[in-house]
Amino acid sequence: MIEGNTDLRSVRTRKFIINSFIELLEKKDFNSIKISDITTGAMINRATFYHHFLDKYDLLEKVIKEDLMENVLQELSNNKEFNEEMLKSLFLSITKFHMSLSDRCQRSYHDMAVNIEAILKKELEQIIFQSLLNKYSDQSDEKLRMIATMLSWMIYGASIDWKQNSSKSPEDYLKYASLSIRELLRME
């Protein structure tokens, strides 16, 4: 019984820490946020923070992964098999994630860009790699990992290009890019 209560308290405390952090990201630059800011907002002490997270970078990574994975799983709910539709779903989930994060955390978004990029590429690579393994189990892991890495970086790069340079919707951007690639390939 005590273990169940401790678990529930731990989950609740973690949620308080994350909510405090997100509220701070909405108001302050990421680089200026201190652990004491987070703990004050969550109404906990430093030791409790460090029981749950290594530092603010670890907290950022976990928040991004949880939010991203929620979006990705929602987008992939109908299609987890490796194919063009799955790649489209990944692109759309990443663009939604970027828009949500940049809208909610306008002041911190650029400060976190390098961290966000590393986390998203790694998560995309894992999702694609697992999907490739399931579909092409007869291929070498090295080959599938290399393909997963290339595709994850392409999807991430396209999402950044869309965010920074396009006035099209994510869906229209993807259609236009796909058609353009196909045209280029036919020219050879």
Side-chain angles (χ1 to χ4, degrees):
M1 179 104 172
I2 292 175
E3 190 174 306
N5 288 339
T6 303
D7 238 8
L8 185 57
R9 277 186 288 208
S10 182
V11 168
R12 196 173 336 140
T13 300
R14 190 174 190 281
K15 185 171 173 48
F16 289 152
I17 294 168
I18 289 171
N19 288 344
S20 173
F21 181 61
I22 290 171
E23 285 176 20
L24 287 165
L25 287 173
E26 292 170 354
K27 299 173 191 167
K28 297 175 82 170
D29 296 335
F30 174 75
N31 292 330
S32 66
I33 295 174
K34 299 179 187 121
I35 299 300
S36 60
D37 298 331
I38 299 167
T39 58
T40 299
M43 296 181 285
I44 58 165
N45 61 38
R46 288 178 80 81
T48 302
F49 175 88
Y50 289 115
H51 175 74
H52 291 274
F53 302 99
L54 299 173
D55 54 25
K56 72 178 184 177
Y57 297 96
D58 181 46
L59 173 57
L60 174 65
E61 181 177 348
K62 289 188 171 84
V63 167
I64 289 172
K65 281 183 180 180
E66 287 174 16
D67 193 27
L68 171 67
M69 292 315 293
E70 184 179 313
N71 287 332
V72 168
L73 292 175
Q74 188 175 7
E75 284 290 331
L76 292 179
S77 61
N78 297 329
N79 191 5
K80 294 179 184 172
E81 182 180 328
F82 182 80
N83 57 31
E84 192 174 339
E85 282 303 310
M86 180 226 187
L87 295 175
K88 286 179 184 178
S89 293
L90 286 174
F91 174 78
L92 294 175
S93 67
I94 295 299
T95 57
K96 282 182 187 176
F97 176 79
H98 276 298
M99 289 310 298
S100 171
L101 190 62
S102 65
D103 287 347
R104 282 180 21 211
C105 306
Q106 291 175 3
R107 294 191 60 159
S108 295
Y109 184 75
H110 293 291
D111 287 349
M112 300 182 298
V114 172
N115 299 63
I116 292 168
E117 179 179 347
I119 294 164
L120 292 182
K121 284 179 183 173
K122 183 178 172 186
E123 292 301 308
L124 280 172
E125 182 180 337
Q126 286 301 324
I127 292 166
I128 295 169
F129 181 61
Q130 284 305 311
S131 183
L132 286 167
L133 278 174
N134 290 338
K135 187 167 184 173
Y136 303 106
S137 57
D138 60 329
Q139 299 293 316
S140 76
D141 285 7
E142 181 182 0
K143 180 180 181 179
L144 297 178
R145 184 204 44 77
M146 182 177 59
I147 293 168
T149 300
M150 290 175 64
L151 289 171
S152 66
W153 285 52
M154 288 179 0
I155 291 169
Y156 183 81
S159 72
I160 293 299
D161 182 60
W162 166 79
K163 183 167 182 345
Q164 293 175 351
N165 301 314
S166 182
S167 59
K168 298 178 184 313
S169 71
E171 294 82 2
D172 288 343
Y173 176 95
L174 193 55
K175 267 187 222 170
Y176 182 73
S178 296
L179 289 172
S180 299
I181 290 168
R182 286 185 183 113
E183 286 174 13
L184 281 174
L185 291 174
R186 277 183 279 199
M187 291 171 72
E188 291 186 12

